[in-house]
Amino acid sequence: MSLIMASFLFAALLLLVPGILTEKAYGPNPIELTIVNSISNAPNETYSTDIVFRGILLGAMRRLQQTNSDFKFTYTEDPNYGPFLESVNGVAGDKAEHTYWELLVQTGKNGTVIRPDVGIGCYIPEPNDRIILNFTKW
Ligand code: B12
């Protein structure tokens, strides 16, 4: 093989490798969404959806709502903190009854459940996370 051809192949490889490595990160990544009602103890519901690279949870929830008629949610806009999850599948939080939808995440990495310190408009899920929307009391 001539030196010119070898250097051409090497250059082509250099161009291809970063593309192959980053493709997965930029494409859609799977997450699961589990709806838990800790007050009525209704059976859990689990949906699969996906998240774009570094996308917010609200985006994945909107896409799921558009593609799956079984999943519905509403939110209100807080002037300081952004979207506050108000209802899921017709079940709404109520100030007088001290009920709300809590956001929990079972991480895909080690399975521990965390309670994010931001809401659905700021939280950025990791691929393979299980998002838990838990109807509960404060
Ligand atoms: C009390 C409280 C709650 C109560 C509010 C109940 C009520 N109606 O009184 C409940 C338990 C519902 C709650 C829930 C959550 N909260 Co809260 N909450 C607070 C707290 C301790 C005080 C708020 C308050 O009363 N301010 C005084 C009143 C007069 O002002 P206000 O503007 O009217 O307050 C309203 C908003 O704060 C709103 N609110 C409360 N929490 C949240 C969270 C989000 C994302 C949004 C959009 C609005 C919102 O509810 C208040 C009453 O209407 C603050 C921390 C703090 N010390 O300020 C955290 C705080 C606002 N909450 C926070 C978070 C993260 C959450 C949750 C996402 C936690 C979770 N993982 O589930 C959930 C919201 C989930 C959802 N459904 O979208 C964060 C927000 C940070 C951020 N940048 O997103 C704070 C700052 C605490 C923190 N971790 O640092 N919360």
Side-chain angles (χ1 to χ4, degrees), residues 7 16 26 82 105 116:
S7 40
L16 274 173
Y26 287 103
V105 179

Side-chain angles (χ1 to χ4, degrees), residues 78 81-85 95 101-103 115-119 138:
D78 182 272
Y81 299 116
F84 182 86
L85 183 62
K95 275 189 183 173
W101 283 97
E102 181 184 26
L103 172 61
R115 188 174 187 269
D117 65 356
V118 292
W138 79 76

